[in-house]
Structure formats: C-alpha cells, structure tokens
C-alpha cells in the first residue's frame, strides 16, 4: 500500500515522510548487517524500523479519528443538533 497524502493531516505529512524514509533506510541497513553477520545491529535496527512504522500508523489513525469526529459533527448538524450545546453539557 502506498502512502497517500489524504491519509494524514497536512501538518503531519512531513513527519510521515521522514518516518517512511527512515523505515526504508532501516530495511536496507538490516539487509546489509544481516549479510555481514552483525545480528545485534540487525535487531537494533529492527526496533528502529518498528518505531518508524508505528509512528506512521499512529498518525494515520489520528487522521481517521479526526475524520470520524468531523463526520459525526456534520451528521449532528444535519439533524439540527447544535454541537456547542453538547460541548457545554459535557464540560
């Protein structure tokens, strides 16, 4: 699956790209170190790889949650429910 800009908040996309490139770099480094027999470095780099992938996933989920919330607010507005009243009653 390719990364798509619309899967992330605009203000997060540069971070997404950094983490994506870091993950790709980790893959190359793991292959290099595996070939060299440096298993400890392979394991350390695998942790870095997983951290980068987890960060991209977190940012993607954040956008998904935001989109669901925005849809809920829109649905409530269509039904004539003022979201500011709900916010006040929760606070």
């Amino acid at each position: 699956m390719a990364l798509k800009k619309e899967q992330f908040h605009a203000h997060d996309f540069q971070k997404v790209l950094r983490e994506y490139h870091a993950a790709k770099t980790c893959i190359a480094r793991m292959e290099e170190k595996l070939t060299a027999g440096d298993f400890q470095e392979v394991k350390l780099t695998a942790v870095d790889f997983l951290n980068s992938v987890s960060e991209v996933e977190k940012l993607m989920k954040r956008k998904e949650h935001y989109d669901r919330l925005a849809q809920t607010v829109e649905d409530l507005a269509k039904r004539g429910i003022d979201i500011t009243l709900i916010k006040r009653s929760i606070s």
Side-chain angles (χ1 to χ4, degrees), residues 34-68:
L34 184 62
T35 301
D38 189 348
F39 301 116
Q40 184 62 30
E41 189 60 34
V42 172
K43 289 191 275 185
L44 291 172
T45 305
V47 170
D48 291 341
F49 170 78
L50 290 173
N51 287 339
S52 289
V53 170
S54 293
E55 186 63 24
V56 170
E57 187 176 47
K58 180 182 93 172
L59 294 168
M60 184 182 291
K61 285 181 181 180
R62 181 160 78 170
K63 175 68 163 64
E64 289 171 1
H65 289 118
Y66 175 84
D67 289 348
R68 278 200 309 267

Side-chain angles (χ1 to χ4, degrees), residues 72-88:
T72 300
V73 169
E74 186 178 315
D75 291 346
L76 290 171
K78 285 179 184 175
R79 293 170 47 193
I81 300 171
D82 185 1
I83 191 70
T84 56
L85 296 175
I86 295 170
K87 183 180 174 188
R88 279 190 224 132

